[in-house]
Amino acid sequence: MSANRWDPKAKKPPKGFNSLAPILSALENELRDKVRESNAGKRNTESMWPVHQINWQRSRYVYDMYYTHHKISKKVYDYCIKNKLVDAALIAKWKKTGYERLCSTYVINSNNYKFGTTSICRVPLKDRSPEQMTAQDPTTGCRGCASGVGQPRNIFGNKYGQNLAAVQIAREKRMEELERKRLQEEEEERAREDAAERAGEGDSETDDDSDDDYGPTPAAGVWAGGSKLELESERLAEGGENEGDDDEYSPSAKKLKTSS
């Protein structure tokens, strides 16, 4: 996928796509770097893990921004599908019961596994033997993408398994909170200065509370930079949010239903 396939000069993207472009570009650059990396010391299949994992993360990001958080319009979502910025086949599977967390369409193709079965990552942890509890799919590196409770929150166990839509929203909310706090502190400081001036007192000092910091922002500004932000993004990813009632941004429940 070209890093500039959403270049306005080539084809003008719909309004609202700019909110996705930075993260999609960062993921494209990450994928390019991983493909160029040396495979020394890796198994042949392991060298393909980043390809499958970044494909999942990129598709999940756009999917969640539309279906879960309602942050982009249908025009933007359709643009991503039409221009193959996401894996349309994988997204189609996520809409079906039992496949909501599927890591790749590869792992459910029985032709890819012995005896016409599917990958170990499709077996719920509760149904695995003790020896299989830490097993990963050899092609995708997935630890477990079956639906239901008790499954790994991060299916890959690394930054590519983070829900970037939730990370982005949690970070934006945090920045809004910090801005509100800054404005409030400035207002309180002005009030103290006015009171001190009237009383003839000196300047007062306030403590800088940074105990609730979300950690440093990653260089790419994409993945969660601290454990607190990652936990908050997981909470958002699991619970979702019903933000925005505009029909353009809120797909109907009917679209999410699939026939058995």
Side-chain angles (χ1 to χ4, degrees):
M1 183 178 74
S2 171
N4 296 318
R5 70 160 60 216
W6 52 79
D7 186 346
K9 294 181 180 179
K11 184 176 182 180
K12 186 176 181 180
K15 181 180 179 180
F17 181 78
N18 288 341
S19 63
L20 303 180
I23 286 184
L24 293 178
S25 294
L27 290 175
E28 181 66 21
N29 292 334
E30 180 79 7
L31 177 60
R32 185 185 301 108
D33 291 343
K34 288 298 179 180
V35 169
R36 292 174 178 174
E37 272 187 2
S38 171
N39 295 328
K42 296 181 181 179
R43 294 172 296 181
N44 290 335
T45 55
E46 189 174 342
S47 63
M48 290 298 295
W49 285 9
V51 176
H52 288 280
Q53 294 175 6
I54 294 174
N55 178 69
W56 177 91
Q57 190 170 57
R58 179 173 52 206
S59 301
R60 194 79 214 185
Y61 170 63
V62 174
Y63 176 89
D64 283 342
M65 288 292 281
Y66 180 57
Y67 281 107
T68 303
H69 303 292
H70 315 312
K71 292 293 186 180
I72 60 174
S73 68
K74 190 175 188 303
K75 287 184 179 180
V76 173
Y77 175 76
D78 289 343
Y79 176 85
C80 293
I81 295 288
K82 184 177 180 180
N83 288 276
K84 299 181 180 179
L85 303 181
V86 296
D87 189 335
L90 181 58
I91 287 179
K93 289 296 183 182
W94 287 339
K95 300 177 184 179
K96 296 184 178 181
T97 302
Y99 295 90
E100 296 89 347
R101 305 173 71 244
L102 182 67
C103 66
S104 171
T105 55
Y106 182 94
V107 302
I108 57 173
N109 187 340
S110 58
N111 293 327
N112 296 327
Y113 299 90
K114 295 180 180 180
F115 313 115
T117 59
T118 56
S119 171
I120 184 63
C121 69
R122 296 296 302 157
V123 179
L125 295 182
K126 64 182 180 63
D127 296 330
R128 296 189 193 184
S129 65
E131 295 78 13
Q132 297 175 326
M133 293 303 292
T134 59
Q136 294 175 271
D137 179 79
T139 301
T140 68
C142 178
R143 303 187 304 163
C145 60
S147 299
V149 298
Q151 298 302 114
R153 287 185 174 181
N154 185 319
I155 64 174
F156 302 123
N158 56 31
K159 66 180 183 179
Y160 303 133
Q162 293 180 10
N163 292 86
L164 294 188
V167 170
Q168 178 176 333
I169 292 171
R171 181 175 283 132
E172 289 174 351
K173 286 186 174 183
R174 176 59 176 159
M175 295 305 295
E176 290 174 0
E177 291 173 2
L178 291 175
E179 179 63 14
R180 284 196 298 269
K181 181 179 179 181
R182 184 186 68 81
L183 294 175
Q184 182 180 356
E185 289 177 346
E186 287 182 354
E187 184 177 349
E188 292 174 351
E189 180 63 22
R190 284 194 297 267
R192 283 193 295 268
E193 290 176 352
D194 291 343
E197 183 177 349
R198 289 192 297 268
E201 297 176 356
D203 295 337
S204 61
E205 295 183 357
T206 57
D207 294 332
D208 180 14
D209 182 8
S210 59
D211 292 339
D212 58 350
D213 183 31
Y214 272 5
T217 300
V222 174
W223 297 278
S227 59
K228 184 173 182 180
L229 175 54
E230 186 168 2
L231 289 174
E232 175 64 12
S233 67
E234 288 174 355
R235 184 190 67 79
L236 288 174
E238 290 178 355
E241 294 185 346
N242 297 320
E243 300 180 11
D245 295 327
D246 193 319
D247 291 339
E248 181 186 16
Y249 291 82
S250 301
S252 65
K254 183 177 179 181
K255 291 184 179 180
L256 293 176
K257 293 181 180 179
T258 55
S259 58
S260 57

